Amino acid sequence: RRVWCQKPMGANTVERSQQWSPASWRDKPAAQQPDWPDQVAVGDALAELSSLPPLVFAGESRELKTALGQVAEGKAFLLHVGDCAESFRDLSAPRIRDNLKIMLQMATVLTYGAALPVVKLGRVAGQFAKPRSKPTERVGDSELPSFRGHMVNDDAAHADARIADPRRMVQAYHQSAARLNLLRAFTKGGFADLRQVHRWNQEFVAHSPEGRRYEMIARGIDDALRFMAACGVDLERAHEMHQVDLWTSHEGLLLPYEEGLTRRDSLTGDWYDCSAHLIWIGERTRQVDGAHVDFFAGVHNPVACKFGPEAREDDIVALCERLDPRREPGRLTLITRLGADRIEELLPPLIRAVHNAGHPVVWACDPMHANGLVTPSGVKTRHFDDIMRELRGFFNVCTCEGVWPGGVHLEFTGDDVTECVGGAEPVTEADLGVHYSTLCDPRLNARQSLDVAFQLAEMLRPKSVRD
Ligand code: PEP
Ligand code: CO
């Protein structure tokens, strides 16, 4: 496996970091920002956000960075999953709990199958803003301004609903706080206790082949716990058994929102974006001289950046230099979204370039966003087989290049939706109309997600056993 050495920062970087402020991005071109009709109201929203308590603490972000540092070294695996776009209308305890259940199930399958710690990172509690390829979209017979996520406008099919409203940023904060509060209670208050593994298997999953396979693992865990108790291990005191760390993340797209939630850490004096533990830059906003990269370069959170088939070696190395000048393990995750057909051709030179520049990044694969297609009847979907094919391509390339295939980035939901076609009990094109509720991109349902986890555990297993 490749090894890394840390490099001191250049004079340029030191100077830049001394001048940086959460508002520095304003001097740079910012892609994908809404056309706010009322700039005064944007300022008011930002002022209100700045006066509110942080959603997460700097110390928590540092813990996640340490955990991701373990991933960068090949000692853990990153499971980065959640909704494509969270909805203001879905703020219910069952919905939050069901998404958590499938995440815990996937993490269990991976930890058990691959014998590796799994870093659990949700696209949750802030994933409300969406980049769009066009400023307008066709809905039925009308051409409307594009829906940009509930942090910006509403998805209803009329022009008034699509007007960008800055007060939605404050609403997004409160929505995120409510979600995070429940997630903290679930993950620390007993629901994520390893003795509850059976409870995470929802009914519609339990009766499927994936659900039955999961039950076998759950029974194996029961047996192991009983065995350890019989050996005299005090399981009550092992807090890892009773709670999990669930970290939050979203695409840091709307810069006034991120600026408003950025605070100086009282312990270190460093700036942290306290809207989430990790924020990422999407494929459409990763311009190295752009506003997003400038903002991300100044905050000390762990950050991620996605890139698609257009990415060139120079761009990616320049991004790494801006976002990870200290060559710090865990600081930067690079998320590939290159497509099942092209990943094996496009990824190797990028891995080599990043390696030669000395950045100890986490390599993660998003097998969703470059495999989208539209059915003849106009429905957006993705094929389960393409998703698996891109993941296999990613594992092959990483293995050949001697880097750790550190993580996976998926869009899923705990609901029994029919949005992606295929899987063990296949969703067909004809099923797409049955339960299609995503606000943006098609998501894996709970059974398909579990299927991915089983296949990933198999791909990871030989490696972890070999090491
Ligand atoms: C997303 O993650 O929902 C997204 C829009 O990704 P990308 O920036 O890779 O297109
Ligand atoms: Co998406």
Side-chain angles (χ1 to χ4, degrees):
R1 185 110 35 87
R2 295 181 191 267
V3 283
W4 313 100
C5 56
Q6 277 182 277
K7 191 180 127 178
M9 286 194 293
N12 238 349
T13 316
V14 172
E15 204 173 289
R16 238 190 217 140
S17 67
Q18 279 164 358
Q19 289 163 357
W20 187 91
S21 85
S24 302
W25 64 270
R26 292 173 179 278
D27 302 334
K28 313 275 181 331
Q32 294 283 341
Q33 300 305 288
D35 212 351
W36 302 112
D38 181 353
Q39 283 301 329
V40 175
V42 178
D44 291 347
L46 185 119
E48 185 166 351
L49 289 169
S50 308
S51 71
L52 291 165
L55 289 169
V56 305
F57 289 130
E60 296 178 306
S61 284
R62 279 194 290 275
E63 278 177 48
L64 172 60
K65 202 188 274 178
T66 305
L68 290 170
Q70 293 289 298
V71 178
E73 287 179 21
K75 296 179 181 153
F77 189 73
L78 168 66
L79 179 65
H80 192 184
V81 285
D83 243 314
C84 176
E86 289 177 281
S87 165
F88 280 4
R89 290 191 296 274
D90 278 350
L91 185 56
S92 78
R95 188 61 65 84
I96 295 167
R97 184 200 57 209
D98 290 348
N99 273 15
L100 177 63
K101 277 183 179 173
I102 180 64
M103 189 169 186
L104 292 173
Q105 284 188 293
M106 292 178 85
T108 303
V109 167
L110 285 164
T111 313
Y112 193 87
L116 271 174
V118 173
V119 178
K120 297 169 260 310
L121 179 61
R123 290 173 60 114
V124 73
Q127 179 53 19
F128 294 109
K130 299 306 299 173
R132 299 309 304 266
S133 39
K134 287 190 271 133
T136 62
E137 65 189 340
R138 185 124 213 113
V139 187
D141 291 336
S142 27
E143 192 72 17
L144 295 173
S146 294
F147 169 58
R148 290 182 174 274
H150 280 163
M151 203 191 288
V152 177
N153 56 8
D154 192 64
D155 53 303
H158 54 90
D160 283 354
R162 301 297 175 95
I163 297 170
D165 178 356
R167 282 169 311 182
R168 285 180 166 267
M169 289 193 275
V170 178
Q171 239 181 309
Y173 167 90
H174 292 293
Q175 283 259 348
S176 301
R179 283 159 208 262
L180 192 52
N181 181 51
L182 195 63
L183 286 170
R184 288 192 195 274
F186 275 139
T187 51
K188 302 293 175 189
F191 184 77
D193 192 306
L194 211 44
R195 291 168 298 190
Q196 305 286 336
V197 276
H198 299 277
R199 272 183 69 193
W200 309 334
N201 214 358
Q202 294 187 72
E203 215 160 291
F204 78 93
V205 182
H207 299 301
S208 69
E210 301 85 7
R212 286 196 290 272
R213 207 170 156 194
Y214 173 80
E215 266 307 310
M216 280 163 54
I217 291 186
R219 281 202 291 272
I221 292 172
D222 287 342
D223 288 345
L225 292 178
R226 271 197 297 273
F227 172 73
M228 284 193 282
C231 291
V233 178
D234 186 353
L235 296 175
E236 287 303 323
R237 292 176 61 151
H239 81 100
E240 299 86 350
M241 299 273 177
H242 310 305
Q243 42 181 268
V244 299
D245 288 329
L246 171 71
W247 312 102
T248 61
S249 72
H250 58 262
E251 178 170 352
L253 184 77
L254 231 58
L255 292 168
Y257 179 78
E258 305 304 336
E259 178 187 336
L261 288 171
T262 298
R263 308 279 185 271
R264 208 188 260 284
D265 174 32
S266 55
L267 275 181
T268 59
D270 291 333
W271 291 104
Y272 280 84
D273 182 347
C274 298
S275 69
H277 299 111
L278 175 144
I279 42 173
W280 80 81
I281 304 184
E283 159 71 358
R284 296 170 186 82
T285 49
R286 61 175 174 78
Q287 303 78 14
V288 83
D289 296 320
H292 290 82
V293 170
D294 184 87
F295 179 81
F296 278 61
V299 295
H300 285 245
N301 304 54
V303 296
C305 182
K306 290 204 190 186
F307 62 85
E310 306 300 313
R312 295 291 155 265
E313 289 145 58
D314 291 356
D315 311 335
I316 300 301
V317 170
L319 270 169
C320 289
E321 188 57 44
R322 284 287 276 126
L323 296 173
D324 177 39
R326 295 182 183 81
R327 278 122 177 106
E328 193 186 353
R331 157 71 176 168
L332 179 60
T333 295
L334 290 179
I335 305 172
T336 68
R337 27 95 87 223
L338 297 166
D341 292 337
R342 300 198 62 197
I343 184 159
E344 300 207 40
E345 160 211 348
L346 296 172
L347 186 53
L350 297 170
I351 290 182
R352 277 174 227 152
V354 171
H355 174 73
N356 291 339
H359 295 279
V361 302
V362 170
W363 290 100
C365 177
D366 164 359
M368 316 289 293
H369 286 89
N371 292 317
L373 48 98
V374 180
T375 65
S377 51
V379 184
K380 280 207 288 185
T381 188
R382 291 154 171 165
H383 270 286
F384 186 84
D385 290 349
D386 290 339
I387 292 169
M388 284 318 307
R389 209 152 50 83
E390 180 155 1
L391 283 174
R392 284 185 200 286
F394 173 75
F395 272 70
N396 284 344
V397 172
C398 288
T399 307
C400 292
E401 295 301 319
V403 298
W404 173 240
V408 63
H409 179 110
L410 301 169
E411 289 182 342
F412 80 2
T413 170
D415 285 351
D416 194 10
V417 298
T418 52
E419 296 173 5
C420 291
V421 291
E425 257 176 38
V427 171
T428 64
E429 266 184 42
D431 296 328
L432 291 177
V434 177
H435 189 175
Y436 193 99
S437 57
T438 185
L439 277 178
C440 196
D441 294 331
R443 303 157 298 176
L444 294 165
N445 65 30
R447 283 195 309 260
Q448 291 168 325
S449 306
L450 210 47
D451 199 349
V452 173
F454 277 114
Q455 299 198 41
L456 275 173
E458 272 159 29
M459 289 187 238
L460 283 162
R461 190 171 175 78
K463 191 133 188 99
S464 63
V465 170
R466 220 184 311 137
D467 288 351

